[in-house]
Amino acid sequence: MEATTGVIWLIVTPFATAFIVYLIGRILARRSGAKLANRISAWLAALGLLISAYPLYLEDQIVLSNKVVLFKQGGIIFYLDGISVLLAVVVLLLGLLVVIFSARYMSSEVGAEKYYALLLAMIGGILGLGCSADLFTLWVWFEVMAITSYMLVAFYRNQPASLEAGFKYLVQSAAGSVFVLIGIFIVFAWNGTLDMMRIRYFLQPPLPPILLVAGGCFLIGFGVKAALVPLHTWLPDAHSQAPSGISAMLSGIVIEAGLIALLRVTSIMGAASELWGNLMLGVGALNMLLGNLMALRQTQVKRLLAYSSIGHMGYMMFGLGVIYRFGILNGAGGAFFHLFNHAMMKGLAFLAAGVLLYVLYIAKGDHGTLTLDDLNGASKRYPLTVFTLSVALLGLGGLPPLAGFMSKWQIFVAGFQTQDTVAMLLVVFAALNSVLSLGYYAPLVNRMYRLQPSVAVENGAAVPKTMVVPLVVLTLLIVVLGFYPSLLNWLTEPAAGILFLFIRG
Amino acid sequence: MTLSLVSLTFIAVIGLLAIGLYALLVVHNLIKVVVALQILAKGAILGFILAGRINGQIGLAESLALTVIIVDTIVAVIGLSLAVQIRHHMGTLDVSALTRLRR
Amino acid sequence: MANVLILLILGLPWLGALLVWWVGDQRSKAQIVLAILFSVLAGVASLVLIPFASNSVALNIPLGGAFGDFTFVADGLGIYLAAIATIIGSLAVIFSVDYMRGEAQLGRYYALVLFFIGGMAGLVLTSNLLLMFVFWEITALCSYALISFHSDDPKAVYGGIKALIVTQFGGIGLLAGALLIYAYSGSYDLQAFIANPQILPPGVLAVTAFGFLVAAAAKSAQFPFQTWLPDAMEAPTPISALIHAATMVNAGVYLLARFYPAFERVPGWREAVVVVGVVTALMAALMALVSNDLKRVLAYSTVSQLGYMVYAIGTGGVFASQFHLMSHSVFKALLFLAAGAVIHSIGTRDIRQMGGLGAQMPLVRTVFAIGALSLAGIPILNGFWSKELILESGSAHGPLWAWVMMVICAGLTALYTFRCFWLVFAGEPRSHLHGHDAGTAMKVALIPLAVGAFLTELLAGPFAYILEHTVPLMEIEVGTTLSILEEVVTTPLTLVALAVVALGLAVWWWREKLSGLSEALAGIGRVAADSFGFEAINRGIVNSTNWLSEKLRRTQTGLLNWNIFGITAGFLLVLIILVIGG
């Protein structure tokens, strides 16, 4: 396979599979009933993702040898580098696990083939976003991702809460998208091109004010998706109301994709990198504080996890702020490592919470809300699920020997390598936030290990076997990376390197 | 003449964006919210035309604008269908009724 | 050879933890056997490691990048603390067989204990700052999980989370210090740093030194972080003995001792260490005097004795502090386990309801008495020698006021120890509780510790020898066991201290006649019972955080227009910042 066609295969496969899944799913649903259709759709979707992993593997060989893959067709430019590979690996891995998880979770829903088709399209959108090398293509993929995620958030069309969450998400996200467009047309007007590498070449310091405004628009536009405070208000609603698999995707990869898009556009304006760095450091601190404080007093499990995602975006923003402001490579390395770990940990947390939601409510046809009280004493009946959820929560809280600790450490190292007082104080602030976050993770873990089970647990159903697989895989990943963090260097270091190259011209 | 057309378009872009954003801040009806989003998007589309005019690549700008229109219409359709569902399940189109999810 | 042994010391307990968890709660017999087997094997491995002591890197796992090389060094200081952790760990596991019999979720219990043992051994054996922090946090994690093992009890959950958060808060000091060392020297190797601390600019070195002091104070429950340890007493008693008396709380002292050669010349650092030690020792002794909860008395006493060790380091007596650490580990583990036997048999921790239990549980009374005498500093038990060594070092190199305070504290120690022993075992029974003597497994754990309380001072010489040869930077020259003991016996200061200890005992003996004095001190007692206002500070912090959280939650109004306002305001804010910054 040619390297350039590989990029196309990588992006096209999920969409083609989405189409096939929808078609076959519809036909089967008509002929043999929803049950079979749902199951076949799930396995087809998983197969599609596995197939798209193959071109990624091939491309990866090239990118690892420090080359980039470029594909140009008219104004559309695809470009595969370290960051694209990172995003692609995370989205395919998490996507595959989510599909396996959903096979049972969505088994009794009407129209699950639509769910898988949309999920695949969303994954395709994220893959495309990671590989885009011109501003407009980036926006188009960003919108593909956004539009599919609106429909997925509002998938339970007869649930007022999910409709509400979906609508709010749509409006905020669409408003943000307009800001992105404003940024793009300003840059386009100024440079006469949308090719990001050429723009990077054109824009040497000092940047004219109008381009700073464009950068501000990008920050706001992609910031809505990346849930930067104060643009975060859609996140707790959408992430808590979506089907659990989608919550895992949203928190695990969609907001991170927003972040990657933000990096792409701000890095071409690397001429003002210190300014972006300062903004990122500030927003990072805000995100950490607000996310953790909001999560502290939540009573619903998924909402709590959603707020914690806001906090974790703060850590990533902090690491990226360090590389933008000070040019410390570990900042990006740590941020990308944390991106991966957060995808795994938050994915695991949402999936495990989803398992509990399924066995306590959905298996009985009840679309209830999983509250903290429901989890009391869950370990007695669901030892493995509870164990994996505990690992996820403690990892999110930054306790070793779990992956979350190591990536936070790398970010903190970067903060101190600046030898700058403010940055070092911000690291201390971030560490304090980690301690604060234990104030809600730890009680949740304790709750699940009580001896006296809640009413919901006593009447809970059994855990389906296929749901356990993703939980175990993710748990193993989190633990292994906690013990051996440099195992992921092949993924994070090229990404950090390419970002550094862009920022420093 | 060209200059004045550009500046006129520029004013129109700013105006559309400002109106759209202001409307999003104040309207309470879900349908009107979607309309406000459309106004915002039209501002952006006009912005692309303006940009093409400025750098002389009007052809490219027009094709970009067309793409934005398509995407934008899809968003509007989904938004409206959600509004219909909300009307169906909650019996209202008032934004302030959509506050079950908070805190 | 040393590298294999280090891997065994870490790996055996962790492997055991995995197996115990794997076996499952349905087969609790197998779980117990596995737990005992793997903890004892780790203990054996740590003993075998002693002859291999050296200050060169024994095991190196290079990771590169921001993570450095994961290195382990088995020098004198590390080996002996690892031996304490694994040996007392295995005794605690054995004791638990009786103590935890019939409890639910035993797999979680034993797995966590084993995980802790490995983590603690790793903490003292590693020479990589990142890894040190990792193990530091692992021990905190295990401590939290085991304190709140009985998750149905809100007090246990509160105690566990409090312990976790307070030690994590202090841990930021270690984090910042470690990161500073890495940022300025480019290496995580703590031996290289200790050998050459000038690599850091003086100001940075001072921040590091005080950061480490904060971390050590939080971990070792020193002023002003002492409040978590008493609340940690909700843990099952073997856990209190292992984690909150013999091993984890010593990590702070270990940290200070380890880095003493690097920090001793930082202006004000030694003075600060002395102040922390003295204030803690005194405050905790007073609290121990007024507490009515058997385990809390022991917890306060632990805090107080850790204060002694910290004080010793501040006065340059690193060897004295480590020697006392060893004695304390043995006799305090003994006291806790004996107290555990009492609590297990009568089902309460309130010493006002006890009394006259000695007749019902003679063995427990005897071993408790041995531990208590050692704690009080009565000759010939191990606590006597090490405490006198600390006081001697303090009088030689520390300020006089601090020494006087510590001698007074020795008297207080004797007083509260005797009070506690008397109320539990002597006199008339004050309620109808019936005790039974310790079970077999309990005896197996108690008797070696009781023997140890008589004998561990004999290890002083060999211990000093190993330290002298493998940790040369500490500049320890102490000589043989005999010369150390002789030095203690021949110093007149010993007599002063002994006189004060006797005075302490006398105060308890004639407590009826001294009622005027006790009334005069009632005010202090009340303040002490309220832990000198530190609980109020903790509560204030927790309440204000919760208040802030609740207030902040109102910003999530759920109103769409408000959400859009967030976007608009964010945009305007960014524009303003861009105008100012650009």
Side-chain angles (χ1 to χ4, degrees):
Chain A
M1 196 184 299
E2 285 266 331
T4 44
T5 46
V7 183
I8 304 304
W9 278 113
L10 175 64
I11 301 167
V12 165
T13 319
F15 287 104
T17 324
F19 182 70
I20 296 169
V21 164
Y22 184 71
L23 211 65
I24 295 183
R26 284 307 295 175
I27 294 169
L28 279 175
R30 289 256 174 94
R31 290 213 179 141
S32 349
K35 200 102 189 162
L36 185 72
N38 290 353
R39 191 171 301 167
I40 301 282
S41 319
W43 296 124
L44 275 178
L47 190 68
L49 290 177
L50 278 176
I51 293 172
S52 30
Y54 180 66
L56 176 63
Y57 169 76
L58 291 182
E59 298 299 321
D60 191 36
Q61 306 295 315
I62 302 164
V63 173
L64 284 191
S65 51
N66 289 323
K67 289 182 199 125
V68 293
V69 179
L70 202 68
F71 172 85
K72 213 163 173 176
Q73 181 70 56
I76 301 164
I77 308 166
F78 285 114
Y79 166 88
L80 205 84
D81 62 7
I83 297 177
S84 331
V85 171
L86 171 80
L87 195 64
V89 167
V90 177
V91 73
L92 284 181
L93 181 60
L94 195 62
L96 182 63
L97 294 173
V98 164
V99 167
I100 296 173
F101 168 86
S102 303
R104 262 316 272 277
Y105 191 87
M106 305 301 289
S107 62
S108 48
E109 303 296 336
V110 177
E113 71 279 352
K114 221 173 341 181
Y115 169 90
Y116 294 111
L118 285 170
L119 179 57
L120 283 167
M122 187 167 87
I123 291 170
I126 295 171
L127 288 170
L129 185 150
C131 301
S132 309
D134 78 86
L135 285 175
F136 197 75
T137 317
L138 183 78
W139 177 81
V140 171
W141 291 121
F142 182 74
E143 278 299 301
V144 169
M145 174 182 90
I147 290 169
T148 47
S149 65
Y150 306 148
M151 297 202 262
L152 284 167
V153 166
F155 184 76
Y156 296 130
R157 273 180 309 169
N158 45 11
Q159 300 292 317
S162 56
L163 287 175
E164 176 183 339
F167 191 82
K168 284 184 192 167
Y169 174 36
L170 180 140
V171 173
Q172 266 180 286
S173 181
S177 159
V178 170
F179 277 97
V180 175
L181 285 176
I182 298 172
I184 292 175
F185 78 64
I186 294 176
V187 173
F188 177 56
W190 188 267
N191 293 295
T193 175
L194 292 163
D195 181 340
M196 296 210 275
M197 268 180 283
R198 281 176 66 196
I199 296 172
R200 176 69 194 95
Y201 179 73
F202 286 145
L203 297 181
Q204 296 301 333
L207 280 191
I210 184 72
L211 283 179
L212 290 183
V213 172
C217 290
F218 285 138
L219 193 66
I220 296 299
F222 291 121
V224 170
K225 191 61 92 208
L228 306 182
V229 176
L231 323 166
H232 65 281
T233 35
W234 61 274
L235 184 142
D237 301 346
H239 289 209
S240 61
Q241 293 310 317
S244 294
I246 299 308
S247 309
M249 288 301 282
L250 287 177
S251 261
I253 189 65
V254 172
I255 53 174
E256 281 84 348
L259 187 68
I260 296 283
L262 179 62
L263 291 184
R264 292 282 198 201
V265 292
T266 43
S267 64
I268 60 170
M269 299 190 189
S273 69
E274 293 198 355
L275 195 56
W276 309 134
N278 284 339
L279 278 168
M280 286 176 174
L281 290 175
V283 170
L286 257 181
N287 259 45
M288 286 182 230
L289 187 65
L290 187 117
N292 285 323
L293 277 177
M294 294 289 277
L296 195 60
R297 306 280 291 168
Q298 294 299 325
T299 52
Q300 300 173 10
V301 179
K302 285 176 75 175
R303 209 166 168 80
L304 183 150
L305 292 174
Y307 276 116
S308 121
S309 292
I310 297 179
H312 278 273
M313 287 311 283
Y315 290 101
M316 291 175 223
M317 287 302 277
F318 175 76
L320 295 168
V322 168
I323 190 174
Y324 272 77
R325 172 75 178 74
F326 300 98
I328 303 282
L329 200 58
N330 266 331
F336 289 139
F337 189 20
H338 198 63
L339 188 152
F340 184 92
N341 289 342
H342 181 250
M344 298 302 125
M345 295 186 298
K346 194 52 69 65
L348 174 57
F350 269 118
L351 291 187
V355 168
L356 291 168
L357 182 61
Y358 180 80
V359 294
L360 301 186
Y361 287 102
I362 294 175
K364 285 177 248 154
D366 177 2
H367 278 278
T369 319
L370 191 67
T371 62
L372 293 184
D373 286 330
D374 288 335
L375 293 186
N376 288 355
S379 77
K380 207 167 184 179
R381 288 212 52 195
Y382 310 111
L384 190 62
T385 311
V386 163
F387 177 75
T388 55
L389 181 53
S390 309
V391 167
L393 292 173
L394 296 175
L396 287 167
L399 283 175
L402 301 169
F405 168 81
M406 287 297 176
S407 45
K408 277 185 190 171
W409 176 275
Q410 198 177 355
I411 292 172
F412 292 173
V413 164
F416 269 72
Q417 278 179 328
T418 61
Q419 303 193 354
D420 176 90
T421 316
V422 177
M424 290 197 273
L425 286 176
L426 275 174
V427 169
V428 172
F429 175 78
L432 278 172
N433 266 294
S434 273
V435 177
L436 173 61
S437 72
L438 286 171
Y440 53 90
Y441 293 128
L444 181 50
V445 173
N446 278 116
R447 214 173 248 291
M448 296 190 291
Y449 282 102
R450 285 190 193 170
L451 294 181
Q452 186 61 51
S454 67
V455 181
V457 168
E458 273 180 343
N459 302 321
V463 178
K465 284 217 169 52
T466 47
M467 279 188 170
V468 176
V469 176
L471 302 190
V472 172
V473 171
L474 287 169
T475 308
L476 278 177
L477 258 173
I478 292 166
V479 173
V480 168
L481 280 178
F483 275 104
Y484 207 83
S486 51
L487 214 56
L488 214 63
N489 280 358
W490 64 272
L491 196 58
T492 57
E493 274 181 357
I498 205 85
L499 183 63
F500 184 81
L501 264 178
F502 259 99
I503 294 169
R504 297 277 140 164
Chain B
M1 189 60 201
T2 321
L3 186 73
S4 72
L5 185 64
V6 166
S7 47
L8 210 66
T9 322
F10 182 74
I11 292 166
V13 170
I14 299 285
L16 280 171
L17 291 176
I19 291 169
L21 204 57
Y22 175 75
L24 277 181
L25 282 172
V26 294
V27 297
H28 274 256
N29 183 304
L30 294 187
I31 307 293
K32 287 183 184 165
V33 167
V34 177
V35 171
L37 277 178
Q38 285 295 303
I39 296 173
L40 258 180
K42 295 303 165 291
I45 292 163
L46 202 53
F48 271 100
I49 303 297
L50 176 65
R53 187 85 194 183
I54 288 173
N55 62 24
Q57 303 198 37
I58 192 72
L60 177 57
E62 277 170 357
S63 64
L64 297 181
L66 201 65
T67 319
V68 177
I69 290 172
I70 295 169
V71 171
D72 200 49
T73 312
I74 299 174
V75 172
V77 166
I78 296 174
L80 287 175
S81 75
L82 281 178
V84 169
Q85 298 279 352
I86 288 169
R87 174 78 173 81
H88 183 69
H89 287 284
M90 295 190 234
T92 174
L93 280 174
D94 192 354
V95 164
S96 43
L98 289 188
T99 50
R100 116 193 352 240
L101 300 170
R102 58 200 176 109
R103 300 215 149 185
Chain C
M1 189 61 194
N3 53 356
V4 175
L5 284 168
I6 290 174
L7 275 180
L8 284 178
I9 294 173
L10 257 78
L12 282 173
W14 284 5
L15 181 66
L18 260 183
L19 288 176
V20 164
W21 180 70
W22 192 259
V23 162
D25 288 338
Q26 298 82 6
R27 283 174 282 179
S28 61
K29 276 245 169 61
Q31 285 181 326
I32 290 168
V33 171
L34 280 172
I36 293 176
L37 183 70
F38 278 92
S39 58
V40 169
L41 281 178
V44 172
S46 70
L47 288 178
V48 177
L49 183 61
I50 291 176
F52 294 96
S54 109
N55 63 345
S56 57
V57 172
L59 178 64
N60 185 3
I61 307 165
L63 289 188
F67 305 105
D69 296 343
F70 284 6
T71 49
F72 291 88
V73 171
D75 65 2
L77 197 57
I79 282 189
Y80 113 92
L81 279 165
I84 290 179
T86 49
I87 291 171
I88 296 189
S90 46
L91 291 177
V93 168
I94 293 170
F95 186 89
S96 303
V97 175
D98 275 346
Y99 191 87
M100 300 299 287
R101 181 165 289 149
E103 297 259 4
Q105 300 183 345
L106 276 181
R108 181 157 62 96
Y109 176 82
Y110 284 113
L112 282 168
V113 174
L114 287 167
F115 190 46
F116 170 80
I117 294 172
M120 188 66 209
L123 169 62
V124 293
L125 288 175
T126 182
S127 66
N128 171 306
L129 279 162
L130 159 61
L131 216 49
M132 191 177 198
F133 187 73
V134 166
F135 286 120
W136 184 274
E137 300 282 294
I138 287 179
T139 57
L141 169 67
C142 295
S143 156
Y144 141 74
L146 283 165
I147 295 168
S148 53
F149 178 70
H150 293 123
S151 289
D152 292 79
D153 180 359
K155 269 162 72 188
V157 173
Y158 171 77
I161 292 170
K162 183 174 180 184
L164 181 66
I165 289 187
V166 171
T167 50
Q168 284 253 313
F169 178 80
I172 294 176
L174 179 59
L175 174 91
L179 290 173
L180 278 174
I181 292 172
Y182 179 71
Y184 282 87
S185 76
S187 156
Y188 287 119
D189 187 17
L190 55 90
Q191 299 221 321
F193 165 68
I194 294 167
N196 188 16
Q198 298 83 15
I199 201 164
L200 268 58
V204 175
L205 185 65
V207 173
T208 310
F210 282 97
F212 279 27
L213 178 58
V214 168
K219 196 77 166 176
S220 290
Q222 298 292 294
F223 166 80
F225 301 107
Q226 74 281 22
T227 53
W228 70 264
L229 191 60
D231 285 332
M233 290 301 125
E234 304 298 328
T237 310
I239 300 308
S240 308
L242 174 62
I243 300 184
H244 306 119
T247 53
M248 187 191 84
V249 288
N250 293 336
V253 177
Y254 163 77
L255 186 73
L256 295 179
R258 175 64 86 187
F259 286 90
Y260 175 77
F263 297 149
E264 61 176 327
R265 285 184 194 82
V266 170
W269 187 75
R270 285 178 56 176
E271 289 76 3
V273 175
V274 167
V275 169
V276 167
V278 171
V279 171
T280 314
L282 264 183
M283 249 172 31
L286 284 172
M287 289 193 267
L289 199 55
V290 294
S291 179
N292 286 321
D293 177 325
L294 177 54
K295 282 182 76 179
R296 277 181 176 254
V297 171
L298 294 177
Y300 288 126
S301 130
T302 305
V303 173
S304 173
Q305 296 301 306
L306 288 166
Y308 269 95
M309 298 173 211
V310 170
Y311 161 76
I313 292 172
T315 60
V318 175
F319 175 72
S321 83
Q322 297 305 302
F323 186 30
H324 192 55
L325 193 159
M326 174 157 66
S327 309
H328 177 256
S329 298
V330 173
F331 70 68
K332 191 52 68 64
L334 174 64
L335 281 171
F336 262 115
L337 291 182
V342 171
I343 294 162
H344 187 254
S345 104
I346 61 172
T348 176
R349 303 196 322 223
D350 192 339
I351 50 180
R352 285 167 302 190
Q353 294 179 31
M354 298 177 187
L357 289 173
Q360 294 163 17
M361 25 196 354
L363 177 99
V364 175
R365 177 192 58 191
T366 312
V367 295
F368 195 94
I370 293 169
L373 290 173
S374 187
L375 169 60
I378 306 293
I380 55 166
L381 290 147
N382 61 1
F384 163 74
W385 304 105
S386 50
K387 196 181 284 181
E388 294 303 333
L389 212 57
I390 287 181
L391 291 174
E392 201 184 300
S393 146
S395 79
H397 308 290
L400 182 65
W401 64 267
W403 184 78
V404 172
M405 295 288 204
M406 293 316 264
V407 171
I408 294 173
C409 191
L412 283 173
T413 309
L415 179 59
Y416 72 69
T417 314
F418 204 62
R419 165 180 175 264
C420 175
F421 178 78
W422 189 270
L423 287 176
V424 175
F425 291 103
E428 292 299 312
R430 282 183 295 280
S431 62
H432 300 290
L433 297 167
H434 285 288
H436 55 80
D437 217 351
T440 320
M442 287 188 177
K443 279 181 190 154
V444 171
L446 287 171
I447 291 169
L449 286 172
V451 175
F454 279 104
L455 296 180
T456 56
E457 67 270 18
L458 299 178
L459 296 174
F463 177 39
Y465 177 84
I466 296 186
L467 280 186
E468 201 179 328
H469 285 85
T470 63
V471 200
L473 289 167
M474 284 193 182
E475 294 165 358
I476 287 164
E477 292 165 25
V478 221
T480 62
T481 303
L482 205 62
S483 69
I484 296 169
L485 299 187
E486 195 184 339
E487 202 184 316
V488 169
V489 174
T490 50
T491 319
L493 293 172
T494 304
L495 290 177
V496 178
L498 272 179
V500 175
V501 169
L503 193 67
L505 291 178
V507 169
W508 175 254
W509 200 253
W510 285 298
R511 60 191 181 281
E512 310 290 335
K513 291 176 188 152
L514 293 170
S515 54
L517 186 69
S518 64
E519 265 162 41
L521 294 176
I524 295 181
R526 266 198 303 280
V527 184
D530 206 24
S531 66
F532 295 95
F534 282 98
E535 282 300 338
I537 296 174
N538 286 344
R539 270 197 303 274
I541 293 171
V542 171
N543 290 344
S544 52
T545 312
N546 280 336
W547 176 85
L548 190 62
S549 168
E550 280 299 338
K551 287 282 166 211
L552 208 59
R553 285 182 69 191
R554 292 194 190 166
T555 60
Q556 183 80 13
T557 58
L559 198 63
L560 188 58
N561 305 106
W562 167 255
N563 294 358
I564 298 294
F565 175 73
I567 295 179
T568 317
F571 180 61
L572 292 178
L573 206 67
V574 168
L575 278 190
I576 290 168
I577 292 172
L578 287 176
V579 166
I580 296 169

